[in-house]
């Protein structure tokens, strides 16, 4: 499969929306990026302006290059680990995008938290990539075109959603894991995702109970998780050998 | 997205959840159960809880290994529920944070209720607690101390549940239920840490309270499945990105400081 990995530091936001799932915009560095930047109105937009459409430029996220399709085979732990790897790829790509294109008007604490989340999700991603080796799925393609990175509310809502989805994914996958060592490492990650989710909720609503909305967290089936993630994943993810 | 705002057991009584599970099974056998409906129901009824509630009322005794783990968890939940109940009642918590600790208290009580229900007659009784640890601490007169111990209890709880995942691995429903409690304790821990001006995650094995060092020993670990996770974004972030388990023995040594009978 021919693809370009998502670069760690994207240099420009695309000006055009892709016409469909298979039309990927290429990341380029150097001169091409400079040309894009020169043509792009970089003035920041407020969350209010973004919300009611009065934006001078979209500041939309990209659609990135990646595999057309992958299959997650849950008949073995490799499938479960690749499932986790897929979600960590998504989270890492999201946080790289939003921390490289920070919204204005937030507190420094928000930047600090989002930068920490970026690091953690990159670590999780690279951990799974390394652990899976030749058995790893390729880099996925993501569609962040619906994300206005300059809209604080939207960015924090999505961070909340991704972390909550991640927690429910790990909780739901626990029973699918056969190797105890893999169960342990998944357990080590899920509590960190929950710490993330709590911190994001705290940033959004400092004195509420949103840091922990329920006494028992959700445990979602992988198919439900992937359906929730689908708006942001351009790669077709096929699932096989999951119990009905 | 599913967004229950009340603790699950407030909204689903065991009879109803058992009914929902058995209804789902009946529909599946009839061939009328579509994949879509299955996931909708699954999201709204944590199956682990429903199945365990049903098992308890069906009087099938859980295996001893499960009983031991659940009683261990119940002991910790008794401790947390009591701690927060006393804390809220003591007046040591300032108004702006009362909601936070009331929320946490409510969750811990729901955990107690669930574990007692799952264990039935095998449930251990609530111990007698001394949250001063023989006069070492003053959590109900000093808010800083209250917060510090709260952080310690929550971070311990995360590590305690995590340490028992292998023991529960053969039992899908109990494993799932434990996982759904484990991640909520982590949400609690993150919130309390942030109230104290810390990050929600644990860097190295750091604690600003020397007496709580046993809660954090081992958190400096960077080797995960033989991979050095400090190599990607630095050591500190590497230690933060993974939480570490504690053995039952180590947890009971910590909790034991506060148990007098």
């Amino acid at each position: 499969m021919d693809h370009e990995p998502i670069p760690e530091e994207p240099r420009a936001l695309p000006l055009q929306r892709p016409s469909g799932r298979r039309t990927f915009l290429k990341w380029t560095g150097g001169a091409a990026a400079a040309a894009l930047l020169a043509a792009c109105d970089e003035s920041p937009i407020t969350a209010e302006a973004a919300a009611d459409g009065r934006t001078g430029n979209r500041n939309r996220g990209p659609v990135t290059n990646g595999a057309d399709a992958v299959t997650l085979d849950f008949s073995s732990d490799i499938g479960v680990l690749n499932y986790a790897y897929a979600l960590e790829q998504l989270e890492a790509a999201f946080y790289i995008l939003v921390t490289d294109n920070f919204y204005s008007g937030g507190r420094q604490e928000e930047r600090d938290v989002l930068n920490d989340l970026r690091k953690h999700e990159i670590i999780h991603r690279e951990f799974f990539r390394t652990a899976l080796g030749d058995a790893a799925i390729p880099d996925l393609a993501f569609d962040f075109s619906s994300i206005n990175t300059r809209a604080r509310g939207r960015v924090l809502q999505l961070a909340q959603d991704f972390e909550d989805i991640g927690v429910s994914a790990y909780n739901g996958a626990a029973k699918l894991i056969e190797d105890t060592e893999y169960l342990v490492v998944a357990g080590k990650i899920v509590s960190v995702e929950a710490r993330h989710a709590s911190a994001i909720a705290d940033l959004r609503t400092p004195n509420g109970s949103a840091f922990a909305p329920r006494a028992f967290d959700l445990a979602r089936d992988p198919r439900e998780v992937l359906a929730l993630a689908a708006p942001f994943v351009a790669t077709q993810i096929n699932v096989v050998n999951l119990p009905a | 997205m599913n967004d229950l705002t009340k603790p699950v057991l407030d909204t689903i009584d065991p009879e109803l959840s058992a009914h929902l599970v058995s209804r789902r099974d009946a529909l599946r056998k009839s061939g009328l159960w579509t994949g879509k409906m299955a996931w909708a129901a699954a999201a709204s009824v944590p199956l682990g809880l429903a199945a365990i509630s049903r098992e308890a009322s069906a009087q099938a005794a859980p295996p001893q290994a499960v009983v031991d783990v659940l009683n261990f968890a119940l002991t910790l939940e008794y401790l947390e529920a009591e701690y927060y109940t006393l804390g809220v009642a003591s007046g040591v918590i300032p108004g702006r944070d009362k909601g936070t600790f009331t929320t946490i208290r409510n969750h811990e009580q729901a955990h107690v209720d669930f574990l007692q229900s799952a264990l039935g007659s095998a449930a251990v009784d609530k111990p007698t607690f001394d949250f001063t640890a023989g006069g070492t601490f003053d959590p109900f007169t000093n808010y800083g101390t209250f917060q510090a111990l709260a952080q310690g209890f929550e971070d311990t709880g995360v590590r305690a549940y995590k340490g028992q995942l292998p023991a529960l691995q053969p039992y899908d429903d109990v494993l799932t239920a434990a996982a759904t409690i484990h991640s909520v304790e982590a949400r609690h821990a993150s919130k309390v840490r942030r109230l104290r001006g810390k990050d929600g995650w644990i860097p190295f094995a750091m604690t600003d309270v020397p007496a709580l060092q046993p809660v954090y020993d081992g958190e400096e670990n960077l080797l995960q499945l033989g991979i050095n996770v400090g190599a990607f974004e630095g050591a500190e972030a590497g230690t933060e990105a993974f939480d570490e388990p504690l053995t039952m023995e180590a947890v009971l040594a910590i909790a034991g400081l506060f148990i007098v009978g």
Side-chain angles (χ1 to χ4, degrees):
Chain A
M1 247 167 295
D2 197 19
H3 62 270
E4 279 179 21
I6 301 165
E8 291 297 319
E9 292 168 57
R11 307 240 181 100
L13 293 173
L15 296 176
Q16 295 170 315
R17 283 172 172 265
S19 56
R21 174 175 280 194
R22 300 289 174 102
T23 306
F24 301 120
L25 294 171
K26 281 188 190 281
W27 284 111
T28 57
L36 281 174
L37 279 171
C40 178
D41 175 11
E42 285 286 289
S43 56
I45 46 176
T46 64
E48 290 81 11
D52 63 12
R54 287 181 286 131
T55 57
N57 78 61
R58 288 198 184 105
N59 289 307
R60 296 288 166 170
V63 176
T64 67
N65 275 333
D68 285 348
V70 299
T71 296
L72 300 177
D73 181 354
F74 284 87
S75 67
S76 83
D77 282 346
I78 296 298
V80 185
L81 295 178
N82 268 317
Y83 167 54
Y85 178 40
L87 296 175
E88 299 293 350
Q89 284 194 39
L90 171 61
E91 287 183 302
F94 169 74
Y95 287 115
I96 290 167
L97 173 68
V98 301
T99 54
D100 279 352
N101 300 281
F102 252 118
Y103 53 81
S104 56
R107 305 186 301 279
Q108 182 58 41
E109 183 193 13
E110 296 171 22
R111 291 172 179 256
D112 292 344
V113 167
L114 289 170
N115 279 323
D116 275 351
L117 267 49
R118 168 189 169 133
K119 286 185 193 168
H120 298 166
E121 306 306 2
I122 289 173
I123 291 168
H124 293 160
R125 184 193 71 196
E126 293 309 307
F127 164 73
F128 281 116
R129 187 202 302 275
T130 309
L132 282 159
D134 290 342
I137 54 174
D139 291 348
L140 304 180
F142 298 110
D143 182 354
F144 294 134
S145 61
S146 70
I147 304 176
N148 180 350
T149 60
R150 306 292 179 169
R152 174 183 180 273
R154 171 79 166 142
V155 169
L156 291 179
Q157 173 73 65
L158 282 174
Q160 183 76 74
D161 289 349
F162 287 142
E163 296 298 340
D164 286 337
I165 289 170
V167 170
S168 72
Y170 279 104
N171 283 347
K175 68 183 183 188
L176 302 173
I177 300 172
E178 289 186 16
D179 187 317
T180 305
E181 280 197 32
Y182 296 153
L183 176 65
V184 169
V185 84
K188 295 189 190 193
I189 293 174
V190 66
S191 56
V192 176
E193 305 292 1
R195 293 177 187 271
H196 290 173
S198 178
I200 293 290
D202 209 27
L203 293 178
R204 300 172 71 216
T205 318
N207 289 317
S209 61
F211 67 93
R214 55 187 70 84
F216 303 87
D217 250 320
L218 298 181
R220 288 191 169 103
D221 180 273
R223 285 161 288 202
E224 186 186 359
V225 170
L226 293 169
L228 290 169
F232 305 99
V233 183
T235 302
Q236 172 76 31
I237 299 183
N238 301 311
V239 165
V240 296
N241 293 320
L242 263 182
Chain B
M1 250 201 334
N2 207 24
D3 189 27
L4 296 174
T5 56
K6 289 166 74 175
V8 168
L9 289 179
D10 285 355
T11 55
I12 300 174
D13 78 272
E15 306 271 318
L16 174 60
S17 61
H19 170 75
L20 286 169
V21 171
S22 55
R23 172 97 180 118
R24 173 185 59 96
D25 289 339
L27 282 172
R28 176 181 301 135
K29 285 173 187 153
S30 74
L32 294 172
W33 189 258
T34 66
K36 213 174 198 180
M37 284 168 66
W39 313 135
S44 58
V45 178
L47 291 179
L49 302 187
I52 292 170
S53 294
R54 185 179 45 163
E55 276 166 18
S57 54
Q59 285 133 22
Q64 190 59 43
V66 172
V67 169
D68 291 344
V69 172
L70 296 187
N71 270 324
F72 167 59
L74 178 56
T75 300
L76 299 176
E77 299 291 351
Y78 278 140
L79 184 154
E80 289 177 317
E82 177 94 337
Y83 182 70
Y84 294 118
T85 298
L86 292 175
V88 170
S90 72
V92 75
I93 305 171
R96 70 175 184 274
D97 293 340
K98 258 208 167 130
T100 292
F101 287 107
T102 303
T103 294
I104 294 176
R105 189 274 313 275
N106 291 347
H107 292 172
E108 310 304 8
Q109 189 57 52
H111 298 162
V112 166
D113 294 345
F114 166 69
L115 289 165
Q116 284 182 323
S117 169
L119 283 159
S121 58
V124 292
D125 293 329
K126 181 163 75 169
T128 305
F129 298 109
D130 171 12
F131 293 110
T132 74
T136 311
F137 303 111
D138 54 347
F140 303 128
T141 50
N142 181 306
Y143 184 48
T145 305
F146 176 81
Q147 285 183 322
L149 287 188
Q151 178 187 313
F153 292 143
E154 296 299 334
D155 278 334
T156 298
V158 174
R159 301 188 71 182
Y161 276 100
K162 199 186 305 295
Q164 297 308 312
L165 296 178
L168 296 180
Q169 188 172 23
Y171 313 102
D172 283 359
D173 292 332
V174 184
L175 175 68
T176 304
T180 66
I181 296 175
H182 164 244
S183 56
V184 170
E185 301 294 356
R187 290 177 187 261
H188 294 170
S190 181
K191 173 64 178 180
V192 176
R193 295 178 66 88
R194 288 173 49 77
L195 267 183
R196 302 187 66 239
K198 315 286 174 221
D199 285 337
W201 27 92
I202 303 172
F204 300 106
M206 280 184 197
T207 170
D208 59 335
V209 181
L212 295 181
Q213 190 61 58
V215 177
Y216 297 100
D217 282 340
E219 285 288 353
E220 71 279 9
N221 178 39
L222 281 173
L223 213 59
Q224 305 296 347
L225 297 183
I227 298 163
N228 172 18
V229 296
F232 306 120
E233 295 285 321
E236 179 164 337
T239 65
E240 292 168 348
F242 296 81
D243 283 333
E244 297 294 319
L246 274 176
T247 63
M248 189 183 288
E249 184 185 36
V251 172
L252 289 174
I254 295 164
L257 298 173
F258 305 96
I259 297 176
V260 293

